[in-house]
Amino acid sequence: MSVTKDITTLKGTVLEIQRMSTEDGPGIRTTVFMKGCPLSCTWCHNPESISPRPQVHWIGSRCIMCKMCIDVCPENALYLDAGGIEVNRELCTGCGRCADECPSTALELLGRKWTVHELVAELVKDRAFFEKSGGGITVSGGEPTLQKEFVTELLKTLRGQGIHTAIDTCGVCGKDALDRILPHANLVLFDVKLIDAELHRGFTGSSNERILENLWHVARLVKEHLYPRELWVRTPVIPGATDTDENIRGIGEFLAGLPAGVITRWELCAFNNLCVDKYTRLGRQWDFADAALMYEERMEYLAEIARSTGVDPAIVLWTGSTRYEGNNDDTGEKKKSIKNNPTSCQGGIT
Ligand code: SF4
Ligand code: SF4
């Protein structure tokens, strides 16, 4: 038997609130990034969202080397080495005392607990933008279904106030979580990264079997119950990982087998490397630190493959920043430029 918690005491762990987003649904949106994710994608653009626990990180350019943080840490988790303040993550409990005491905001705690009412009060401050633009609020992550009770109550309350709601999911969750949350979501953004189960396991740490089953489940909910109202699929196009012809073709053929008309948008999101500093601040290496942007021509080509798979060609688009390699100039060098196509699900928190 499921027990519903008191909404006044129910708390969710939120990594960040990002305002004025145009990437996570229609219109101008406020995106709430929840903490915790069951996948560990090698290209992850929000590495600070993977752990469900609050985490501290150090921003060297702000540090005045007063060492107060080292003195106040109850776990002796901080120390100074040649590179600056280091966090022993085995010892750190995420209590946040060091961030509270730091005089120059060089230490930040990633992840804050909110009640539903506190968060709604914060989010509705942007209501005028939503109303003018046809926007609303998107709950992303991390993986929001990991905090299903909190997210259900959050979306229910927002919808009750007439605000358009969306949820962005990686699809790794129980059907019960989808059944609870989705009646309160106008839109689902559903990520499909790789169609091959073994490649999926290799790049994300988990098979895609449950993800594809859940996509079918969501498609049936849209078709039979008209909730959520809309389903968008997003595929990150990552060099050397998801950017092959076979992968895009395979995903397209799978999507073409879902009930007709349910998916209203399939977005191929070009890789970007904006998150490289986050890995540095968390003391981690990133496999894609030196990876270049996708070529515009390659994104156009992959979009054409996607359109040829049996899905409605009109729902396919690609987004994100790309390289362009044009005709040779007088010096024999190729002309290069960066093109920015309106939105990209690779953006994460910037
Ligand atoms: S308390 Fe802040 S400014 Fe002082 S050493 Fe620690 S991180 Fe740097
Ligand atoms: S968050 Fe708490 S335990 Fe972690 S380093 Fe800061 S003071 Fe120490």
Side-chain angles (χ1 to χ4, degrees), residues 2 27 70 78 97 115 117 148 175 232 235 248 270 276 329:
S2 77
I70 296 175
L78 295 173
R97 248 177 100 177
T115 67
H117 292 312
K148 61 187 175 194
K175 288 193 178 57
W232 292 5
T235 299
I248 300 302
V276 67
D329 62 17

Side-chain angles (χ1 to χ4, degrees), residues 69-77 93 95 97-98:
C69 51
I70 296 175
D71 295 338
V72 299
C73 176
E75 311 298 334
N76 291 322
T93 59
C95 72
R97 248 177 100 177
C98 56

Side-chain angles (χ1 to χ4, degrees), residues 4 19 31 36-37 73 77-78 93 134 140 146 163 177 216 264 280 282 300 304-305 323 325 337:
T4 305
R19 300 194 138 86
T31 303
C37 183
C73 176
L78 295 173
T93 59
S140 181
L146 285 184
I163 293 174
W216 257 102
T264 48
T280 309
L282 286 169
E300 298 279 7
E304 275 312 305
I305 290 181
R323 291 186 286 170
E325 195 155 8
S337 67

Side-chain angles (χ1 to χ4, degrees), residues 54-258:
Q55 286 169 294
V56 73
H57 75 156
W58 179 71
I59 303 166
S61 58
R62 296 182 190 164
C63 181
I64 56 172
M65 290 295 167
C66 68
K67 299 190 208 161
M68 255 158 72
C69 51
I70 296 175
D71 295 338
V72 299
C73 176
E75 311 298 334
N76 291 322
L78 295 173
Y79 58 96
L80 185 64
D81 78 359
I85 299 291
E86 293 284 345
V87 185
N88 182 332
R89 299 200 179 271
E90 304 275 308
L91 297 178
C92 175
T93 59
C95 72
R97 248 177 100 177
C98 56
D100 290 344
E101 295 293 329
C102 175
S104 63
T105 64
L107 284 163
E108 282 182 352
L109 189 66
L110 304 171
R112 184 184 150 193
K113 302 254 185 204
W114 295 76
T115 67
V116 172
H117 292 312
E118 286 168 344
L119 189 52
V120 168
E122 183 63 31
L123 297 174
V124 296
K125 290 177 184 169
D126 300 328
R127 181 189 283 276
F129 295 105
F130 307 152
E131 287 173 355
K132 260 204 161 359
S133 68
I137 288 164
T138 300
V139 184
S140 181
E143 173 50 40
T145 58
L146 285 184
Q147 301 187 58
K148 61 187 175 194
E149 287 183 44
F150 180 83
V151 170
T152 300
E153 295 304 327
L154 175 63
L155 294 188
K156 194 192 293 182
T157 309
L158 291 168
R159 274 275 296 272
Q161 299 197 16
I163 293 174
H164 181 279
T165 57
I167 182 167
D168 176 14
T169 178
C170 72
V172 181
C173 59
K175 288 193 178 57
D176 64 312
L178 295 170
D179 289 342
R180 282 184 75 160
I181 294 171
L182 296 194
H184 312 292
N186 295 91
L187 168 68
V188 177
L189 308 168
F190 199 109
D191 294 351
V192 181
K193 301 166 173 59
L194 284 154
I195 199 69
D196 182 273
E198 279 316 302
L199 287 177
H200 198 283
R201 190 187 297 282
F203 280 110
T204 72
S206 169
S207 168
N208 60 3
E209 202 175 313
R210 189 196 266 196
I211 295 171
L212 299 179
E213 277 176 25
N214 278 337
L215 182 53
W216 257 102
H217 187 64
V218 176
R220 282 195 204 100
L221 292 178
V222 175
K223 189 82 180 170
E224 294 166 17
H225 300 282
L226 300 181
Y227 74 80
R229 291 268 167 204
E230 257 194 286
L231 172 58
W232 292 5
V233 171
R234 303 205 289 188
T235 299
V237 179
I238 310 295
T242 68
D243 65 338
T244 63
D245 299 11
E246 299 74 40
N247 187 45
I248 300 302
R249 189 173 295 113
I251 293 174
E253 287 167 358
F254 181 87
L255 299 182
L258 294 172

